[in-house]
Amino acid sequence: MADIDAIQVQDLNHFFGAGDARKQAIFDINLTIERGGLTILMGPSGSGKTTLLTLIGALRDVQFGNIRVLGRELNGADQSALVQLRRRLGFIFQAHNLHESLTATQNVMMGLQVHGPGNAAKQRAAVHHILDLLGLSDRWDYLPGNLSGGQKQRVAVARALVSNPEIILADEPTAALDKASSQTVVELLKALGQRRGATTVMVTHDPRILELADRIITLEDGRIVSDQRNN
Amino acid sequence: MSKLLSLLFGRLPIGWLQLSHSKGRLIAAVSGVAFANLLVFMQLGIMGALNNSTIAPYALLDTDIIVSSQAGNTLTDSDNIAQVWMFQALGVPGVSAAMPIYIGNLPITLDDGTSVTLLVFGVDATKPAFVSRAIAQLLGQLTIENTALIDKGTRGIPPDVIADIIAGNAFSFEANGRTISAIATMDVGGGFLADGMIVTSDQSFFRLFAARSSAASNHILLQVDEGVSHDAVATRLRAILPAHSVKVQTVQEAAGADLAFMSTQRPTGIIFGFGVFMGILVGLVIVYQVLSTDVADHLGEYATFKAMGYGSSFFLGIVFEEAIVLAVFGFIPGLIVSMGLYAGLVSVTGLPVEMDVGRAVLVFLGTLTACTISGAIATRRLARADPADLF
Ligand SMILES: Nc1ncnc2c1ncn2[C@@H]1O[C@H](COP(=O)(O)OP(=O)(O)OP(=O)(O)O)[C@@H](O)[C@H]1O
Ligand SMILES: [Mg+2]
C-alpha cells in the first residue's frame, strides 16, 4: 500500500460550460504527490486550484486524462466507488460547513459514523480525544452557533481528521480566520497529519503558511508554472 | 429522545436533531399534522356515527332474510311491499316463518314544547322470535293497546324520565291524537336516523298511522330452517319473486347495502368522505412544505456529508426519519384533542361518536404513509446537494 503514490495526475484537462460558453479551466496537468507531507497549491484567483482539488477529491467527474487517488482510477469510476474513496479522504472547506443542529462532538462523530455504526462509547472517546488535541476540551457539547470562527474551523479540522484519512484536502481553510487562529489551525493540521502519516494538500494564499510546506506548487491559468520542494 | 433514536438507527438522529433545533418549524409541522389528524378523526367519527345509526335498528330484529320493495333505499327509508309476497315466500322450501314489519315516522310534541320525530316499528306482538332477545322479553306487554318500548337515547326525553320508566312508571305522550304509553325502555341509539325510536304492536301502529294497513308492510322478515344456507334460500326466493319490484336480501346484505347507500348516495356520506380526503391533503401539503424547506435549508450540510462519503440512502434516511418524527408527534396530540371533541359531540348531539382502536390505528398508519409520501417527494430536492459546489 505505502508504495503507491497518494495522488497521480496524468494529462488532465477540464472544461466548464458548453457551446460558446465552454471554457477550459485545467490544461495538461501532470503531477505526482507521494505519501506524507504538506503540499501547498498556490496561484492567482481563477488559476484552477479549487477545480484541481475537487477533481482529486472525487467531488467532480474527470473529463479528460486520468487521476489515480490511493491507487484508484477516478476517470469512469462508478458512483459507489467514488463514495467509498471519499471515505478515505478528509476535506476541510473554506467555510467550516458544520451542521448547526449538531454539537461539536456530534459534528465530529459524523466523520466517524460514515464508516458504519460501531461502538458509540469508543467513538465518543476518539472524538473527545481529537477535540482535546485541537484545544476544544471545554467546547465538546457546544453548538456551532456558540463557537468562534477559529473554534468552528478547528471542529471542522477534527471532523476531517478523526477517522485517520489517508489524504487531507483543504481549500483555504484559514481564509475566514484571523492571523492567530490561522496559524494555530494550520500548525495543528500539519502536526496531526504528520503524526498520522497523512498526505495533506492545501490551497492557500497565506504567505506565513508557506514556511510550513514540504512542497509548493503554483498554478497559473490552469497550468503548473512552478513546483518547488522545501527541505 | 436523542439517545433512544441513536440506539434505534445506529447513527446520530440527524433528522430529529435538525427538526428539534428549529423549534418553530417543528411546532408548525407537528400542529399541521395534528390538525390534519383532527380533521380526519372528526370526519371518521361522524361517519362512524352515521354508519352506527344506519345499522342500529337491525339490532332490534332477529331475522335471516329481508324482503323489501325495490323502490326503497334502506331499512328505515323504504317503500311498501304487498302482503301477497309473504305468502309466496312462505311456500319456498327452507323458509320457516315470516313476519311483516311496519315502519313510520311519528312527529310528537313533548310537554316542554319541543318537537321530535320518532321512528316507530310496528311488529307482531305474538312473534317474539323476530325481535332481539331483550325486546322479546317485553313484547308480551305490547299487546295492550297504545303501549310502546322507547329508546333510552331518545332526544328530548330527560334521563330522569327514562329512569322513571325503568322504575315502572310509564311515560305518556300525545301523538296523532292518541296517547301512547312508553312502558319500558330499550337500547338502540338511532342518532342520525331520527330523534328516537319506539317499538309498538302492529295493532297500535295502525292506530297511530291511520293510512297504513296490514295489506302492505315496509318489509317482510323471514326466518330460515335450522342448518339451511341463507344464501341458498335467498336465491330460491329471487327466482320466484318479481325482481323488478321485490328485493330479497340476507340480513348481512341488507345492512351492507344500507351502509353503502348512506355513504355514497346521501350528501352527508359524500361530504364526510370529502372531509377525510381534505384532511389527508392538508397533512400531505404541510408535511411536504416543511420537509422540502428543511432539505433546502440543509443542502450545504448535506453536500458536506456527501463529500465525506455518505451515500444517498443516508440522506433518504434523514428525510424519512423526519417524516416519522412528524407523524408520531403530530398523531399524539391529534388523537388526544379528537377524543376530547368526540366526548363533546356525544354530550351535545347524543350521536354515537366513539373512538375505537381500529380507527386510531388506521389513522396512525395513514399518517405514517402520508408523511412518508411527503418525505419521498421532498427527497427529490436532495439531488441539488452537490459537493463540488462546496469549495
Ligand atoms: N462551476 C463553474 N462553472 C463555470 N466555471 C467555473 C466553475 N468553477 C470554476 N470555474 C472557472 O474555472 C476557472 C478556475 O476556477 P477555480 O475556482 O478553480 O479557481 P481558483 O484558483 O480556485 O480561484 P480562487 O483563488 O479565486 O478560489 C475560473 O476561470 C472559474 O471562473
Ligand atoms: Mg478557489
Side-chain angles (χ1 to χ4, degrees), chain B residues 48-331:
Chain B
L50 179 68
N51 287 344
N52 283 345
S53 354
T54 303
I55 56 171
Y58 283 93
L60 290 170
L61 310 175
D62 184 356
T63 178
D64 300 325
I65 293 174
I66 301 182
V67 178
S68 329
S69 160
Q70 285 287 11
N73 293 319
T74 65
L75 183 69
T76 54
D77 170 14
S78 57
D79 204 358
N80 292 351
I81 180 159
Q83 206 69 327
V84 49
W85 304 122
M86 183 169 90
F87 300 111
Q88 292 258 355
L90 277 169
V92 170
V95 175
S96 62
M99 181 188 83
I101 184 167
Y102 304 87
I103 302 172
N105 282 303
L106 183 68
I108 61 166
T109 306
L110 295 167
D111 288 346
D112 62 357
T114 53
S115 300
V116 294
T117 301
L118 300 180
L119 203 53
V120 184
F121 293 85
V123 297
D124 187 337
T126 64
K127 287 189 172 163
F130 280 93
V131 291
S132 73
R133 194 167 301 164
I135 291 174
Q137 289 171 356
L138 305 166
L139 204 59
Q141 304 180 38
L142 296 184
T143 49
I144 302 165
E145 249 169 52
N146 296 337
T147 55
L149 307 178
I150 190 159
D151 183 25
K152 279 182 187 161
T154 299
R155 274 191 281 273
I157 311 271
D160 53 311
V161 171
I162 297 290
D164 235 26
I165 301 174
I166 296 170
N169 303 316
F171 166 68
S172 299
F173 55 89
E174 298 291 318
N176 283 359
R178 300 191 176 267
T179 305
I180 303 286
S181 232
I183 52 164
T185 61
M186 56 186 185
D187 263 312
V188 191
F192 272 100
L193 293 173
D195 295 311
M197 292 183 202
I198 59 173
V199 173
T200 66
S201 69
D202 41 13
Q203 297 311 311
S204 303
F205 185 91
F206 298 138
R207 290 209 164 74
L208 277 172
F209 299 94
R212 298 291 303 269
S213 86
S214 62
S217 63
N218 290 77
H219 305 276
I220 298 161
L221 308 184
L222 300 179
Q223 278 176 345
V224 168
D225 285 326
E226 199 73 42
V228 176
S229 149
H230 300 177
D231 286 320
V233 175
T235 310
R236 268 177 239 152
L237 285 163
R238 283 181 199 120
I240 64 148
L241 299 176
H244 64 275
S245 63
V246 177
K247 143 172 98 174
V248 178
Q249 292 170 300
T250 64
V251 71
Q252 287 81 10
E253 285 169 348
D258 286 7
L259 285 180
F261 177 81
M262 293 303 274
S263 49
T264 61
Q265 306 289 306
R266 276 278 173 268
T268 37
I270 297 168
I271 286 166
F272 293 132
F274 184 68
V276 170
F277 173 76
M278 285 309 290
I280 294 172
L281 202 66
V282 166
L284 275 174
V285 169
I286 292 175
V287 173
Y288 167 73
Q289 271 303 326
V290 167
L291 291 184
S292 65
T293 326
D294 192 69
V295 168
D297 284 355
H298 291 94
L299 280 182
E301 285 92 334
Y302 293 163
T304 309
F305 290 149
K306 270 190 192 174
M308 287 162 65
Y310 282 96
S312 49
S313 61
F314 169 78
F315 301 102
L316 294 180
I318 294 181
V319 179
F320 287 128
E321 177 191 330
E322 293 186 321
I324 292 168
V325 165
L326 294 184
V328 172
F329 279 61
F331 177 76

Side-chain angles (χ1 to χ4, degrees), chain A residues 50 53-54 59-60 83 86-87 91-93 97-102 106 109-111 113-114 117 143 159 169 171, chain B residues 2 10-12 14 17-18 21 297-298 300-302 304-311 314 386-391:
Chain A
T50 296
L53 207 66
T54 51
L59 301 179
R60 217 181 259 297
V83 169
R86 283 183 208 148
R87 296 184 185 170
F91 292 97
I92 302 164
F93 309 93
N97 289 330
L98 296 181
H99 196 305
E100 100 249 352
S101 318
L102 307 186
Q106 289 170 332
M109 193 79 96
M110 292 305 294
Q113 291 195 341
V114 72
L143 289 171
R159 179 177 62 185
L169 300 172
D171 196 356
Chain B
S2 192
R11 62 163 169 81
L12 285 174
I14 312 284
L17 292 170
Q18 224 162 265
H21 187 76
D297 284 355
H298 291 94
E301 285 92 334
Y302 293 163
T304 309
F305 290 149
K306 270 190 192 174
M308 287 162 65
Y310 282 96
F314 169 78
D386 183 358
D389 294 338
L390 285 172
F391 284 112

Side-chain angles (χ1 to χ4, degrees), chain A residues 45-46 48-51 94 171-172 203 205, chain B residues 391:
Chain A
S45 186
K49 307 179 294 293
T50 296
T51 308
Q94 182 168 349
D171 196 356
E172 305 191 49
V203 172
H205 292 289
Chain B
F391 284 112

